[in-house]
Amino acid sequence: MDRITTQAPALVLRPWDPADAVDLVGLCQDPALRRWTNTPVDDEAGAVRWIQEQQRGRAAGHRFAFAIVETRATSSEGRLAGHVVLKNVTPGGASAEVGYWTAAHARGRGVASSALRALTDWAFTTFAGDGLARLELLHQVDNAASCGVARKCGYEVARLLPAAPPAFPGDGHLHVRTRTPPSP
């Protein structure tokens, strides 16, 4: 599986490529992105290392990271708009975790929701035979935008998590989505 496509907005979710390094550095300079993520990208060498880490996770079968690309009507190429990931996948495991971030230029236009829905559908379809039935999503309590995206995609708040610095400096929400989402 190399690509996932969405309808509106028109997005392609594809594996990260070393050619994305320069654009990734630019996106990761955004103060809001730096506040909410622990993506350690300060320069091109750091971007290359981060992309290689994503590729190793995919090869090992436990982390499936995708670059979110806004496409043009005439091409599957376009502007890098974010990142979405399925992680902590284990053979026979009933649960895994999802995560995402969007570039400053892509926020507020449904990019995160569209990408998360596509990843969720892909994960439950791809790993159903392995028993995947539950996806978890974590974010800091004060990240209202992320909470809104999670809820819009059928991930309900399951519980409050205490801070766990340095990786998770503030209290958090644990959202859960099951293979069969609750009725609206």
Side-chain angles (χ1 to χ4, degrees):
M1 189 346 265
D2 286 344
R3 292 176 182 255
I4 302 169
T5 58
T6 71
Q7 298 299 314
L11 304 173
V12 170
L13 309 183
R14 60 156 173 78
W16 285 92
D17 185 273
D20 296 320
V22 171
D23 290 336
L24 180 60
V25 171
L27 298 181
C28 288
Q29 302 314 301
D30 171 35
L33 183 61
R34 293 173 89 73
R35 176 179 180 201
W36 300 120
T37 70
N38 59 1
T39 305
V41 174
D42 294 313
D43 55 26
E44 194 169 342
V48 168
R49 282 190 300 275
W50 186 84
I51 291 168
Q52 289 171 338
E53 181 182 322
Q54 306 315 305
Q55 292 173 328
R56 283 191 297 274
R58 180 177 292 275
H62 62 79
R63 183 180 182 90
F64 298 88
F66 297 89
I68 303 170
V69 179
E70 292 181 288
T71 60
R72 298 182 183 100
T74 58
S75 168
S76 66
E77 295 305 312
R79 186 176 187 189
L80 191 58
H83 166 75
V84 66
V85 62
L86 174 68
K87 54 189 175 178
N88 304 325
V89 177
T90 57
S95 68
E97 184 181 342
V98 296
Y100 52 87
W101 55 257
T102 53
H105 68 82
R107 292 186 197 124
R109 297 189 292 113
V111 169
S113 298
S114 186
L116 180 59
R117 278 189 204 101
L119 179 75
T120 299
D121 292 345
W122 174 81
F124 282 138
T125 300
T126 302
F127 296 100
D130 292 334
L132 182 66
R134 173 187 166 106
L135 293 173
E136 297 179 347
L137 186 153
L138 307 170
H139 69 82
Q140 291 185 99
V141 169
D142 56 344
N143 189 339
S146 195
C147 197
V149 168
R151 287 185 166 165
K152 192 183 288 188
C153 294
Y155 286 79
E156 296 301 323
V157 176
R159 66 181 176 169
L160 183 65
L161 301 172
F168 214 69
D171 290 345
H173 282 162
L174 169 66
H175 290 257
V176 171
R177 166 89 186 260
T178 57
R179 188 177 356 207
T180 305
S183 299

